[in-house]
Amino acid sequence: MDIFLQQIINGLTTGSVYAIVALGYTMVYGVIQLINFAHGEVVMIGAMVAFTVITALVGAGLPLPPIVLVFAGVLTAVPVCMAIGYLLERVAYRPLRHAPRLAPLITAIGMSIILQHLALLIWGRDPRAFPQIMEVTSFNLGGAAISSVQIVIILLSVVMMGVLTWFVYRTRFGIAIRASAEDVRVAALMGVDANRVIAATFIIGAAMGAVAGVMYGTYYGIAHYTMGFTLGLKAFSAAVLGGIGNLAGAMLGGILLGLVEALGAGYIGDLTDLCQWPVFGGLLAERCEADGHVILLGSNYQDVFAFLVLILVLVFRPSGLLGERVAERA
Amino acid sequence: MLATALLEALNLEVHYGGIAAVKGISFAVEEGELVCLIGANGAGKTSTLKALARMIPAQGEIHYRNARLDRLPSHDLIRHGLALVPEGRGIFARLTVTENLAMGAYHRNDKAEIALDLQHIYEMLPRLKERAAQVAGTLSGGEQQMLAIGRALMGRPQLLLLDEPSMGLAPLMVEKVFEVIRTVAAQGVTIFLVEQNARLALQTCSRGYVMESGLITLADSAANLLADPRVRTAYLGE
């Protein structure tokens, strides 16, 4: 099996999910310069709701094809998350619209904790396993394996990115969102209601987040009330990597982050195998002869890469790959 | 209160923290008029316009036809026929010229009429047509000002508020911008113009107000103001 190609495929899969989640962060940031830290939790709730619906349908014993089950799960999760996204904006952030920037930021962290613990109360602390409803088929692609789930995740993400881009660049309301991102007060002079635009960014981001949550949960076969935290932070890192506030940046940042993470996880074991370094060869000769490898950092260190990327971007290119300006308001 | 006034402000006040920028002024603009508000930097002219457009909190009454603007949110004004070209133009730099103009017609639903208006704007401002697909941030200052005015006209305003349209422009460009303003006025749009370039403003308008430290100190026909020795020494550099 070709490790490089395999990790590219895996990276594209998780990267697609990061990109979709990152779009939720970046759209909201673009219009109101707020990092909605509760977005990761919205994604988690999307996965939880879908899993619950699918499990219930399977339990009911209806003879439904798997694709219908998943569809029903997604179709329930999306409106639930849209409602949560709207409520977050309406209840938590709108009253703080003109407050100093630290206030909504801390509120966002608070909302994240509240949603996480609500999920804990509803779904418990045990991970939810994705019901075995379908056979996952794998295809051979130049020596690497790509599963049907991966194909669906990548294609669905591309479609969502395409639709969002069309919406934001080709529709009247989409142009109004971009105009508001530049200057809400001037856009208001053209008749654009800022509240509607801001609410829309939350709702659209949450809808995509719900789908991303289901994709992520399906890919790993598991959903847990804390899954939104790491996923959210990684997607946020992706948004910063691409240039926060920039839609194309979020997409690019997500894919890149997924690739970096997958390749990092794929090679970190080999690179940190101490037996290949003569310096350690002598010291560890016994163990190297016995096991063949003494691996310092295994692939379980993959989460490190996302945050390493975040730190590097913040140090060397704070405006991100495609970002035009750095937010100077503190 | 003037019977024919399209816009009338009564005791308008604007405060920033504890500082009063506009200290209770009253003025009126009649239908079809081209009225200007002149004054030095910091006199409160821009605050007055922003208060009219509901962009900043203000006290006092603003009557516009039968509506009370001081009770409406900013985004409802264009539906009542009031448009503002803000200080510093306020164009959407990352949107194309066409998208900027489309934003001007955001509140309208008459697609065919919007397309016609777009044609008219492009005829009146051919430079914009040449740059239609360009991102507005790449335009020159003068072109951006034209775009800002064109965008406001796309909303078919009955009253156009203009804030310092000459700011930061080369003299030749200033001439062109004022030519456009005269054309727009001739088409029947009522204009309330705020301008630091007092001579040019008074030569363009029929009536004028002079503002000093938050108060209106003179109100007269443009011809009389141009002849007034106080205006001549303070604002015309004589």
Side-chain angles (χ1 to χ4, degrees), chain A residues 95-158:
Chain A
L96 298 171
R97 186 86 48 81
H98 303 289
R101 242 188 16 154
L102 210 50
L105 194 71
I106 292 168
T107 304
I109 296 169
M111 292 317 292
S112 163
I113 295 170
I114 289 173
L115 288 179
Q116 212 179 94
H117 286 82
L118 275 178
L120 171 66
L121 287 176
I122 296 170
W123 288 287
R125 60 175 65 251
D126 295 328
R128 296 260 158 160
F130 190 73
Q132 288 295 318
I133 49 172
M134 55 181 156
E135 286 288 312
V136 177
T137 33
S138 270
F139 305 92
N140 190 332
L141 194 81
I146 181 164
S147 75
S148 47
V149 171
Q150 288 180 309
I151 294 173
V152 170
I153 288 177
I154 294 171
L155 286 183
L156 194 57
S157 302
V158 169

Side-chain angles (χ1 to χ4, degrees), chain A residues 186-233:
Chain A
V186 174
L189 294 173
M190 327 270 123
V192 180
D193 182 347
N195 285 333
R196 283 188 57 194
V197 165
I198 293 166
T201 60
F202 275 88
I203 291 169
I204 295 167
M208 292 195 305
V211 179
V214 181
M215 295 194 300
Y216 198 73
T218 311
Y219 185 48
Y220 289 109
I222 212 163
H224 189 239
Y225 79 98
T226 57
M227 70 185 269
F229 181 71
T230 324
L231 177 56
L233 270 184

Side-chain angles (χ1 to χ4, degrees), chain A residues 172 178 182 188 324-325, chain B residues 75 92-94 99 106 108:
Chain A
R172 205 168 72 126
R178 282 159 57 223
E182 285 202 43
E324 294 150 51
R325 47 173 192 181
Chain B
H75 64 259
F92 303 118
R94 277 174 281 171
E99 286 173 337
Y106 179 78
R108 296 171 55 186

Side-chain angles (χ1 to χ4, degrees), chain A residues 20 53 60 70 81 90 111 246 253 263:
Chain A
I20 297 298
V53 169
V70 177
C81 287
R90 190 70 191 79
M111 292 317 292
N246 183 310
L263 290 173

Side-chain angles (χ1 to χ4, degrees), chain A residues 49-117:
Chain A
V49 168
F51 276 36
T52 307
V53 169
I54 293 169
T55 311
L57 286 176
V58 170
L62 300 169
L64 296 168
I67 191 80
V68 175
L69 294 173
V70 177
F71 220 73
V74 172
L75 283 186
T76 320
V78 167
V80 167
C81 287
M82 286 166 93
I84 294 173
Y86 174 75
L87 283 176
L88 277 177
E89 194 276 322
R90 190 70 191 79
V91 176
Y93 304 137
R94 194 180 295 182
L96 298 171
R97 186 86 48 81
H98 303 289
R101 242 188 16 154
L102 210 50
L105 194 71
I106 292 168
T107 304
I109 296 169
M111 292 317 292
S112 163
I113 295 170
I114 289 173
L115 288 179
Q116 212 179 94
H117 286 82

